[in-house]
Amino acid sequence: MIRPATPDDLAAIRACAEAAYARYVPLIGRRPAPMDADYAALVAQGFARVAEVEGAVRGFVTFWPKDDHLYLDAVAVHPDAVGRGLGRALIGAAEAEGQARGLGEIRLYTNAAMAENLTLYPHLGYRQVDRRMDQGFDRVFFAKGL
């Protein structure tokens, strides 16, 4: 079940971010930004959704409107729940929010070291629009019409 995140979900969201992104620390050389995001603010603003499985938060997505598009900030699925379609469902929830807000596009970037994302996003209909060094990270930028 995908639902809006509440303050009661904050500990689970943070734990999920730690578990999901920890494997990238050695590849990137530092903690990915989603490991240290201000989830309390994102939840308070209504910019987070969680995937709940059997009463437990096993994934989340964060996003917000930005100019003429929805910016997809982070998607995380706890390692023990990978392979159940939760990531795709969470991305779909963000896309639905963008459509509901009347936005024509959703945009995101991922670190080039997160190789599975470089195939996942095109598979979901996203097109690569840029790749460049940004704030010290090798980032790949994607967009999808809504």
Side-chain angles (χ1 to χ4, degrees):
M1 173 174 87
I2 307 296
R3 62 171 176 77
T6 70
D8 291 341
D9 297 319
L10 287 171
I13 290 170
R14 289 184 186 111
C16 185
E18 286 290 325
Y21 288 98
R23 66 188 175 121
Y24 297 114
V25 173
L27 297 172
I28 296 171
R30 60 182 172 173
R31 291 168 60 86
M35 293 179 82
D36 299 313
D38 184 354
Y39 292 111
L42 292 167
V43 168
Q45 294 171 357
F47 297 152
R49 302 289 181 272
V50 294
E52 194 173 14
V53 177
E54 297 175 2
V57 171
R58 306 318 298 150
F60 70 88
V61 62
T62 57
F63 53 82
W64 53 84
K66 185 174 181 179
D67 302 324
D68 62 345
H69 65 278
L70 191 80
Y71 171 67
L72 195 157
D73 179 55
V75 179
V77 175
H78 195 281
D80 68 8
V82 169
R84 297 183 188 180
L86 297 179
R88 289 179 184 184
L90 288 160
I91 293 167
E95 291 171 355
E97 181 68 23
Q99 289 173 328
R101 291 175 176 263
L103 299 170
E105 190 171 58
I106 186 166
R107 299 179 192 171
L108 64 95
Y109 63 78
T110 188
N111 193 292
M114 298 177 179
E116 63 278 3
N117 291 347
L118 303 181
T119 56
L120 171 66
Y121 288 116
H123 181 74
L124 296 177
Y126 288 78
R127 69 189 186 291
Q128 183 176 328
V129 295
D130 196 8
R131 180 174 178 167
R132 67 179 183 273
M133 292 302 293
D134 182 48
Q135 298 179 3
F137 293 104
D138 183 6
R139 291 183 170 157
V140 182
F141 296 77
F142 290 94
K144 178 180 180 179
L146 295 175

